[in-house]
PDB file of all heavy atoms in Angstrom:
ATOM      1  N   PRO L  97     133.936  87.805  97.685  1.00  0.00           N
ATOM      2  CA  PRO L  97     134.454  87.904  99.065  1.00  0.00           C
ATOM      3  C   PRO L  97     133.914  89.073  99.838  1.00  0.00           C
ATOM      4  O   PRO L  97     133.729  88.891 101.038  1.00  0.00           O
ATOM      5  CB  PRO L  97     136.006  87.946  98.745  1.00  0.00           C
ATOM      6  CG  PRO L  97     136.186  87.369  97.439  1.00  0.00           C
ATOM      7  CD  PRO L  97     134.993  87.650  96.727  1.00  0.00           C
ATOM      8  N   ALA L  98     133.816  90.192  99.242  1.00  0.00           N
ATOM      9  CA  ALA L  98     133.276  91.378 100.032  1.00  0.00           C
ATOM     10  C   ALA L  98     131.861  91.079 100.556  1.00  0.00           C
ATOM     11  O   ALA L  98     131.480  91.505 101.664  1.00  0.00           O
ATOM     12  CB  ALA L  98     133.325  92.612  99.231  1.00  0.00           C
ATOM     13  N   GLU L  99     131.016  90.467  99.695  1.00  0.00           N
ATOM     14  CA  GLU L  99     129.722  90.204 100.032  1.00  0.00           C
ATOM     15  C   GLU L  99     129.578  89.107 101.129  1.00  0.00           C
ATOM     16  O   GLU L  99     128.830  89.235 102.050  1.00  0.00           O
ATOM     17  CB  GLU L  99     128.800  89.752  98.839  1.00  0.00           C
ATOM     18  CG  GLU L  99     128.667  90.785  97.704  1.00  0.00           C
ATOM     19  CD  GLU L  99     128.254  90.222  96.361  1.00  0.00           C
ATOM     20  OE1 GLU L  99     128.060  89.046  96.303  1.00  0.00           O
ATOM     21  OE2 GLU L  99     128.224  91.060  95.446  1.00  0.00           O
ATOM     22  N   THR L 100     130.415  88.088 101.001  1.00  0.00           N
ATOM     23  CA  THR L 100     130.437  87.040 102.049  1.00  0.00           C
ATOM     24  C   THR L 100     130.779  87.669 103.405  1.00  0.00           C
ATOM     25  O   THR L 100     130.230  87.263 104.435  1.00  0.00           O
ATOM     26  CB  THR L 100     131.364  86.007 101.666  1.00  0.00           C
ATOM     27  OG1 THR L 100     130.960  85.447 100.426  1.00  0.00           O
ATOM     28  CG2 THR L 100     131.409  84.847 102.640  1.00  0.00           C
ATOM     29  N   ALA L 101     131.942  88.539 103.387  1.00  0.00           N
ATOM     30  CA  ALA L 101     132.399  89.187 104.603  1.00  0.00           C
ATOM     31  C   ALA L 101     131.216  90.031 105.158  1.00  0.00           C
ATOM     32  O   ALA L 101     131.005  90.031 106.480  1.00  0.00           O
ATOM     33  CB  ALA L 101     133.606  89.970 104.315  1.00  0.00           C
ATOM     34  N   HIS L 102     130.530  90.835 104.420  1.00  0.00           N
ATOM     35  CA  HIS L 102     129.476  91.611 104.823  1.00  0.00           C
ATOM     36  C   HIS L 102     128.370  90.725 105.380  1.00  0.00           C
ATOM     37  O   HIS L 102     127.786  91.107 106.530  1.00  0.00           O
ATOM     38  CB  HIS L 102     129.045  92.428 103.533  1.00  0.00           C
ATOM     39  CG  HIS L 102     127.725  93.233 103.958  1.00  0.00           C
ATOM     40  ND1 HIS L 102     126.463  92.836 103.525  1.00  0.00           N
ATOM     41  CD2 HIS L 102     127.556  94.362 104.613  1.00  0.00           C
ATOM     42  CE1 HIS L 102     125.550  93.691 103.950  1.00  0.00           C
ATOM     43  NE2 HIS L 102     126.194  94.592 104.607  1.00  0.00           N
ATOM     44  N   ASN L 103     127.998  89.720 104.706  1.00  0.00           N
ATOM     45  CA  ASN L 103     126.957  88.811 105.175  1.00  0.00           C
ATOM     46  C   ASN L 103     127.276  88.306 106.605  1.00  0.00           C
ATOM     47  O   ASN L 103     126.409  88.137 107.585  1.00  0.00           O
ATOM     48  CB  ASN L 103     126.699  87.642 104.236  1.00  0.00           C
ATOM     49  CG  ASN L 103     125.411  86.840 104.491  1.00  0.00           C
ATOM     50  OD1 ASN L 103     124.329  87.458 104.723  1.00  0.00           O
ATOM     51  ND2 ASN L 103     125.583  85.558 104.669  1.00  0.00           N
ATOM     52  N   HIS L 104     128.570  87.848 106.765  1.00  0.00           N
ATOM     53  CA  HIS L 104     129.068  87.316 108.116  1.00  0.00           C
ATOM     54  C   HIS L 104     128.845  88.441 109.256  1.00  0.00           C
ATOM     55  O   HIS L 104     128.487  88.067 110.330  1.00  0.00           O
ATOM     56  CB  HIS L 104     130.354  86.606 107.966  1.00  0.00           C
ATOM     57  CG  HIS L 104     130.482  85.442 107.334  1.00  0.00           C
ATOM     58  ND1 HIS L 104     129.542  84.447 107.424  1.00  0.00           N
ATOM     59  CD2 HIS L 104     131.415  85.002 106.424  1.00  0.00           C
ATOM     60  CE1 HIS L 104     129.882  83.382 106.638  1.00  0.00           C
ATOM     61  NE2 HIS L 104     131.005  83.724 106.026  1.00  0.00           N
ATOM     62  N   LEU L 105     129.412  89.516 108.800  1.00  0.00           N
ATOM     63  CA  LEU L 105     129.319  90.760 109.747  1.00  0.00           C
ATOM     64  C   LEU L 105     127.845  91.055 110.249  1.00  0.00           C
ATOM     65  O   LEU L 105     127.629  91.187 111.409  1.00  0.00           O
ATOM     66  CB  LEU L 105     130.045  91.932 109.151  1.00  0.00           C
ATOM     67  CG  LEU L 105     129.997  93.232 110.022  1.00  0.00           C
ATOM     68  CD1 LEU L 105     130.739  93.014 111.310  1.00  0.00           C
ATOM     69  CD2 LEU L 105     130.509  94.403 109.263  1.00  0.00           C
ATOM     70  N   VAL L 106     126.906  91.060 109.254  1.00  0.00           N
ATOM     71  CA  VAL L 106     125.597  91.422 109.649  1.00  0.00           C
ATOM     72  C   VAL L 106     124.973  90.398 110.539  1.00  0.00           C
ATOM     73  O   VAL L 106     124.378  90.637 111.430  1.00  0.00           O
ATOM     74  CB  VAL L 106     124.762  91.484 108.270  1.00  0.00           C
ATOM     75  CG1 VAL L 106     123.181  91.464 108.615  1.00  0.00           C
ATOM     76  CG2 VAL L 106     125.097  92.717 107.526  1.00  0.00           C
ATOM     77  N   ALA L 107     125.374  89.081 110.168  1.00  0.00           N
ATOM     78  CA  ALA L 107     124.813  87.990 111.133  1.00  0.00           C
ATOM     79  C   ALA L 107     125.382  88.156 112.421  1.00  0.00           C
ATOM     80  O   ALA L 107     124.622  87.886 113.478  1.00  0.00           O
ATOM     81  CB  ALA L 107     125.233  86.655 110.476  1.00  0.00           C
ATOM     82  N   ALA L 108     126.650  88.465 112.565  1.00  0.00           N
ATOM     83  CA  ALA L 108     127.256  88.577 113.958  1.00  0.00           C
ATOM     84  C   ALA L 108     126.635  89.772 114.735  1.00  0.00           C
ATOM     85  O   ALA L 108     126.469  89.610 115.878  1.00  0.00           O
ATOM     86  CB  ALA L 108     128.757  88.747 113.768  1.00  0.00           C
ATOM     87  N   LEU L 109     126.495  90.884 114.100  1.00  0.00           N
ATOM     88  CA  LEU L 109     125.860  91.976 114.685  1.00  0.00           C
ATOM     89  C   LEU L 109     124.435  91.753 115.167  1.00  0.00           C
ATOM     90  O   LEU L 109     124.153  92.035 116.352  1.00  0.00           O
ATOM     91  CB  LEU L 109     125.908  93.182 113.765  1.00  0.00           C
ATOM     92  CG  LEU L 109     127.259  93.805 113.458  1.00  0.00           C
ATOM     93  CD1 LEU L 109     127.201  94.843 112.495  1.00  0.00           C
ATOM     94  CD2 LEU L 109     127.940  94.295 114.785  1.00  0.00           C
ATOM     95  N   LEU L 110     123.609  91.129 114.351  1.00  0.00           N
ATOM     96  CA  LEU L 110     122.304  90.870 114.668  1.00  0.00           C
ATOM     97  C   LEU L 110     122.194  89.749 115.823  1.00  0.00           C
ATOM     98  O   LEU L 110     121.366  89.787 116.714  1.00  0.00           O
ATOM     99  CB  LEU L 110     121.515  90.293 113.482  1.00  0.00           C
ATOM    100  CG  LEU L 110     121.257  91.282 112.347  1.00  0.00           C
ATOM    101  CD1 LEU L 110     120.709  90.611 111.123  1.00  0.00           C
ATOM    102  CD2 LEU L 110     120.382  92.406 112.871  1.00  0.00           C
ATOM    103  N   GLY L 111     123.197  88.827 115.805  1.00  0.00           N
ATOM    104  CA  GLY L 111     123.261  87.867 116.865  1.00  0.00           C
ATOM    105  C   GLY L 111     123.611  88.515 118.208  1.00  0.00           C
ATOM    106  O   GLY L 111     123.085  88.167 119.216  1.00  0.00           O
ATOM    107  N   TRP L 112     124.615  89.327 118.157  1.00  0.00           N
ATOM    108  CA  TRP L 112     124.903  90.031 119.394  1.00  0.00           C
ATOM    109  C   TRP L 112     123.743  90.862 119.918  1.00  0.00           C
ATOM    110  O   TRP L 112     123.578  90.937 121.179  1.00  0.00           O
ATOM    111  CB  TRP L 112     126.185  90.951 119.196  1.00  0.00           C
ATOM    112  CG  TRP L 112     127.416  90.182 118.835  1.00  0.00           C
ATOM    113  CD1 TRP L 112     127.667  88.829 119.089  1.00  0.00           C
ATOM    114  CD2 TRP L 112     128.633  90.647 118.156  1.00  0.00           C
ATOM    115  NE1 TRP L 112     128.932  88.576 118.705  1.00  0.00           N
ATOM    116  CE2 TRP L 112     129.565  89.645 118.029  1.00  0.00           C
ATOM    117  CE3 TRP L 112     128.865  91.891 117.540  1.00  0.00           C
ATOM    118  CZ2 TRP L 112     130.703  89.775 117.289  1.00  0.00           C
ATOM    119  CZ3 TRP L 112     130.090  92.021 116.839  1.00  0.00           C
ATOM    120  CH2 TRP L 112     131.014  91.005 116.823  1.00  0.00           C
ATOM    121  N   LYS L 113     123.142  91.611 119.003  1.00  0.00           N
ATOM    122  CA  LYS L 113     121.975  92.333 119.455  1.00  0.00           C
ATOM    123  C   LYS L 113     120.949  91.604 120.009  1.00  0.00           C
ATOM    124  O   LYS L 113     120.198  91.936 121.018  1.00  0.00           O
ATOM    125  CB  LYS L 113     121.509  93.201 118.235  1.00  0.00           C
ATOM    126  CG  LYS L 113     120.313  94.175 118.585  1.00  0.00           C
ATOM    127  CD  LYS L 113     119.895  94.924 117.349  1.00  0.00           C
ATOM    128  CE  LYS L 113     118.823  95.859 117.672  1.00  0.00           C
ATOM    129  NZ  LYS L 113     118.255  96.602 116.463  1.00  0.00           N
TER     130      LYS L 113
END
Side-chain angles (χ1 to χ4, degrees):
E99 293 164 2
T100 301
H102 172 258
N103 190 55
H104 287 322
L105 177 60
V106 169
L109 291 174
L110 291 174
W112 295 337
K113 185 178 180 181

